[in-house]
Amino acid sequence: NRMHLVCPMNTSPHVDPHKSGHEVWEEFSHSFTPAVREVVEFAKKIPGFRDLSQPDQVSLLKAGTFEVLVVRFASLFDVKDRTITFLGGKKYSVDTLRAMGAGDLLNSMFDFSEKLINLGLSEEEMSLFTAVVLVSADRSGIENVNSVEALQETLIRALRSLITKNHPNESAIFTKLLLKLPDLRSLNNMHSEQLLAFKVH
Amino acid sequence: FSDPASNLGLEDIIRKALMGNLEERQE
């Protein structure tokens, strides 16, 4: 009945069976906190983000941090070798993680990472796409929808302009990127369900 | 489980990380 935490934001999927649930959670939290702080630092640098109200900044980050991390850490998923590198630096195969209890979310994240990486975006394009992911006016709890929507539209226009400039013969890339947004929502929902299962367990 | 971020303690991390910046704005 050994427990495993098959999230790559953990240092390792192995959980010390002698530790309490609280201790396991504390250790996991300690592991992913720097990545979350990086997302906040990234958000602060998005032009216009700091002009949103404080509650809306928090709401956007609460709702979108997981999706931003999926984009930023897509490279942890090695599609060719079917392995995932955890934050501790060690690689684990899909089969190993499946044996530890990983489910459909794992496959869905591999699919997403493969498609995103195959688009061959530059660092600048990826950053702008990540900003679009974070600034979404339809997140729950947004107070000033108009302000968030205006910033979202500005960012989407900038992304389209950059993609069009850099890939003049590949007009479908921008559309493909926008279609990644509902994919990320779906992954976010699946992840929330897994968290619930973990907390209940 | 409508608010996974709060359950994870994410909200606290986010607020603290934003805080410095927000205090800076208030000044």
Side-chain angles (χ1 to χ4, degrees):
Chain A
N1 287 328
R2 281 183 66 89
M3 264 179 57
H4 295 99
L5 244 170
V6 290
C7 171
M9 291 292 98
N10 204 5
T11 47
S12 153
H14 299 290
V15 171
D16 184 343
H18 301 295
K19 285 188 176 166
S20 69
H22 180 71
E23 285 173 318
V24 170
W25 191 254
E26 284 290 303
E27 206 171 88
F28 180 39
S29 173
H30 187 72
S31 171
F32 67 67
T33 294
V36 174
R37 286 201 188 115
E38 278 177 27
V39 174
V40 177
E41 291 308 312
F42 169 79
K44 286 179 181 177
K45 289 177 191 152
I46 298 172
F49 186 85
R50 288 182 293 179
D51 298 327
L52 299 174
S53 72
Q54 182 184 348
D56 283 349
Q57 290 180 41
V58 174
S59 293
L60 289 176
L61 282 161
K62 272 173 64 182
T65 291
F66 168 77
E67 294 174 27
V68 171
L69 289 175
V70 169
V71 173
R72 287 170 81 90
F73 288 102
S75 57
L76 295 180
F77 291 75
D78 189 326
V79 176
K80 198 176 151 202
D81 295 343
R82 301 290 289 170
T83 58
I84 301 175
T85 305
F86 276 53
L87 284 191
K90 196 172 171 192
K91 285 183 179 186
Y92 298 88
S93 73
V94 171
D95 291 341
T96 303
L97 294 171
R98 277 208 165 276
M100 291 177 180
D104 291 342
L105 178 59
L106 184 73
N107 281 337
S108 300
M109 291 192 69
F110 261 106
D111 288 345
F112 179 86
S113 300
E114 181 177 23
K115 286 173 188 163
L116 183 64
I117 287 167
N118 283 347
L119 291 178
L121 299 184
S122 68
E123 201 175 315
E124 187 185 15
E125 291 163 342
M126 198 66 100
S127 283
L128 199 42
F129 173 62
T130 308
V132 168
V133 169
L134 188 63
V135 182
S136 298
D138 61 343
R139 300 290 194 189
S140 66
I142 299 295
E143 292 175 351
N144 194 336
V145 173
N146 289 343
S147 297
V148 179
E149 215 164 52
L151 180 55
Q152 181 182 16
E153 282 167 12
T154 302
L155 291 167
I156 289 176
R157 272 198 301 273
L159 179 64
R160 184 170 56 194
S161 167
L162 185 65
I163 296 285
T164 307
K165 186 185 83 174
N166 292 351
H167 310 265
N169 301 318
E170 298 166 279
S171 57
I173 289 186
F174 176 68
T175 310
K176 284 179 182 171
L177 270 179
L178 289 190
L179 289 172
K180 294 277 166 286
L181 299 177
D183 289 349
L184 281 165
R185 292 290 173 103
S186 173
L187 289 173
N188 203 349
N189 290 335
M190 289 171 83
H191 184 248
S192 294
E193 284 167 19
Q194 300 238 329
L195 281 175
L196 173 62
F198 178 80
K199 294 288 269 190
V200 168
H201 184 77
Chain B
F1 205 50
S2 57
D3 192 1
S6 297
N7 283 277
L8 273 171
L10 269 193
E11 185 167 353
D12 190 43
I13 301 167
I14 288 166
R15 282 187 186 281
K16 281 179 182 163
L18 275 174
M19 199 69 78
N21 170 251
L22 290 167
E23 280 172 352
E24 203 174 283
R25 281 181 65 201
Q26 282 162 9
E27 285 169 13

